[in-house]
Every structure is written in C-alpha cells, then in structure tokens.
Amino acid sequence: MFNLTGRVAVVTGASSGLGRQMSKALAKQGADVAVLARRMEKLETLSEELKEMGVRSIPVECDVMDVESIASAKNKVMEEFGKIDILINSAGANRGGAVEEMEDEDWQFTIDILLTSVFRVTKEFVKPMLDVKYGRIINIASMYGLLGTNQDVSAYHAAKGGVVNFTRAAAAEFAPHEVTCNSICPGFFNTELTNENIETDDFKQYMSLSVPMGRAGEEGELNAGAIFLASDEASYVTGINLPIDGGWSSSK
C-alpha cells in the first residue's frame, strides 16, 4: 500500500521546513517530485538529494504570490513530466500582531500568502488533473484554522481557517472529476520559521500545558498523513481536515 511509483508530485514551499520534509517522504515512496519555492539554491540541493533516492526531480522557481510565476511553474512541470498527480500547497509566512495594533498591510500579506496563494496555485495546477480525472491536492492548513488562541496571530488564524473551508469547497467541486482535496492541520512543529519561538523555555512550558503529548512535532511526523492523502488508497477520502498536533485540538 501507499506506493507512489510513477506518480508526479508538486510541492510548494519546498525549500525548507515541512515542504522539504514532505518532498523527501514522497520520493521515498517512489514519486517523482517537482520542488517549488523562490530560493533556487536550496531547491537545487534538495532536488539532487531526491534524485539520489532513485526518482526524477526538478527544482522550479515559483513565487506563489505571482500569477504569472505560478503559470510558468505549472508549464515547466508539464514539460518535464507530462502530468501532475499530486499537489501539496505548503508555502507560507506570517506577520503577527494584536488585532488592535496590526497594520493593514501585515494583515493583507498574511492572507495573501497563506490563503490567496492556495487558491491561485490550486486553480492552475488542478487543470491537468481535471483533464485526466485523477488528482490529489493536499493543503497545509493549521490547527489554528480549527480553533483560536491568545497568541496575537489573528491574521494567521483567519487565513488558515479560510484554507480549511476552501479545502471543503474545492473537494466538493472536484469530486465528480475524481480529484480529491484535503488539508493537514499541523500543530507545533520545529521548522526554520518556528524554531526560534518553539525552543524558548516559555513556549516549552506552554506546550507542556496545552499539548497532551507535551511536545512539538518532530521531523517526519507529518509525513504519514501526507503520504496517505496522496495515495491511490485514499480515493474515497476528500474534504477532510486532518489534525496532526499531538492531541492539542482534540483537547479543546
């Protein structure tokens, strides 16, 4: 089960963090992988690592905030592989701030990169999936899209909540075409973007009180969810939002 040999996967935000981890997980299961992000040097390094695992891989520069860049990236993937079976929307960034203090431009930046980009990338990359009536779309949302916290990241909550419901709507729309759309809602994971905060004593104490497992997610612990949702075996699974958060959301 869960053999992805012969499948072509596209991962945005692949230059670091969860996107990088999932790219390697997909390759380990046999998928050919196009890795997308803005930092080509990191993508080239990752792509070479994936090739050493015995699969085909290409690095593709892509700014998920730019419609033309997204279309160009899709065309490059199609030219190289001739199809797209799996799309993982993993690109992201965040500008936090309390509601009463947050600048409009910081709010808009966060909504654009976390929510609007998912719509734009999905809109472009789903087209070849619809043509052949096969596809797996996986959006990386967040447990913050399922519940609220007092951490002054309201724009992040709003954007990820939007991803959760966009996933449900897209799943219903694509279902007649045998294209599934699901999201993963990670809890706290130690990545390039979160390391500085997660490693503080205060945050470790917060996790010990809030997360039933008492710790952040470790490298690789998100991969099983992504592999399952990307697989042929998950053909009747669509519109779900899968928390992988050490039990945090289930305890609220």
Side-chain angles (χ1 to χ4, degrees):
M1 296 179 72
F2 313 128
N3 184 350
L4 300 178
T5 301
R7 295 300 182 191
V8 174
V10 175
V11 183
T12 70
S15 60
S16 64
L18 299 178
R20 189 177 194 278
Q21 293 174 31
M22 289 184 291
S23 296
K24 297 180 80 169
L26 293 167
K28 187 175 181 180
Q29 298 304 115
D32 299 324
V33 187
V35 288
L36 277 58
R38 290 179 299 173
R39 296 180 290 182
M40 276 299 289
E41 183 177 344
K42 288 184 175 289
L43 291 181
E44 289 167 354
T45 299
L46 173 59
S47 188
E48 289 303 314
E49 292 177 11
L50 300 182
K51 290 176 184 177
E52 291 174 3
M53 298 170 70
V55 302
R56 297 168 64 195
S57 178
I58 58 169
V60 181
E61 185 173 1
C62 181
D63 181 353
V64 297
M65 302 274 273
D66 184 273
V67 173
E68 291 184 2
S69 180
I70 295 167
S72 175
K74 191 279 298 284
N75 291 338
K76 288 177 182 176
V77 175
M78 290 297 293
E79 288 169 8
E80 178 68 23
F81 296 110
K83 64 174 184 172
I84 298 166
D85 299 305
I86 301 160
L87 169 65
I88 299 185
N89 283 306
S90 184
N94 176 50
R95 293 179 184 171
V99 171
E100 71 275 15
E101 298 172 353
M102 187 174 222
E103 299 293 338
D104 282 3
E105 56 265 32
D106 293 333
W107 169 275
Q108 196 61 53
F109 169 85
T110 304
I111 296 297
D112 284 346
I113 196 165
L114 294 179
L115 176 57
T116 306
S117 73
V118 171
F119 157 70
R120 288 174 174 167
V121 173
T122 300
K123 176 183 177 180
E124 190 65 35
F125 279 80
V126 76
K127 293 173 183 176
M129 296 180 181
L130 297 175
D131 288 341
V132 300
K133 292 189 177 296
Y134 181 92
R136 302 284 185 267
I137 299 170
I138 303 168
N139 300 322
I140 304 304
S142 170
M143 64 183 182
Y144 283 19
L146 302 174
L147 47 85
T149 71
N150 60 349
Q151 296 180 37
D152 292 344
V153 285
S154 60
Y156 189 90
H157 281 80
K160 291 300 189 179
V163 172
V164 164
N165 231 29
F166 172 77
T167 297
R168 293 185 179 116
E173 184 176 329
F174 300 151
H177 305 279
E178 300 296 329
V179 175
T180 67
C181 186
N182 297 288
S183 85
I184 294 174
C185 298
F188 301 119
F189 274 79
N190 205 329
T191 69
E192 183 179 296
L193 290 176
T194 63
N195 178 268
E196 185 176 340
N197 189 34
I198 280 181
E199 289 301 314
T200 64
D201 290 339
D202 286 346
F203 205 83
K204 287 180 179 178
Q205 183 178 8
Y206 177 80
M207 282 191 291
S208 70
L209 296 172
S210 302
V211 181
M213 293 189 73
R215 63 172 176 83
E218 297 175 357
E219 183 171 342
E221 290 189 315
L222 200 74
N223 293 345
I227 290 166
F228 166 65
L229 294 174
S231 71
D232 286 353
E233 288 79 4
S235 57
Y236 203 56
V237 179
T238 195
I240 71 160
N241 297 286
L242 174 65
I244 302 180
D245 60 8
W248 193 35
S249 57
S250 64
S251 66
K252 300 301 179 185

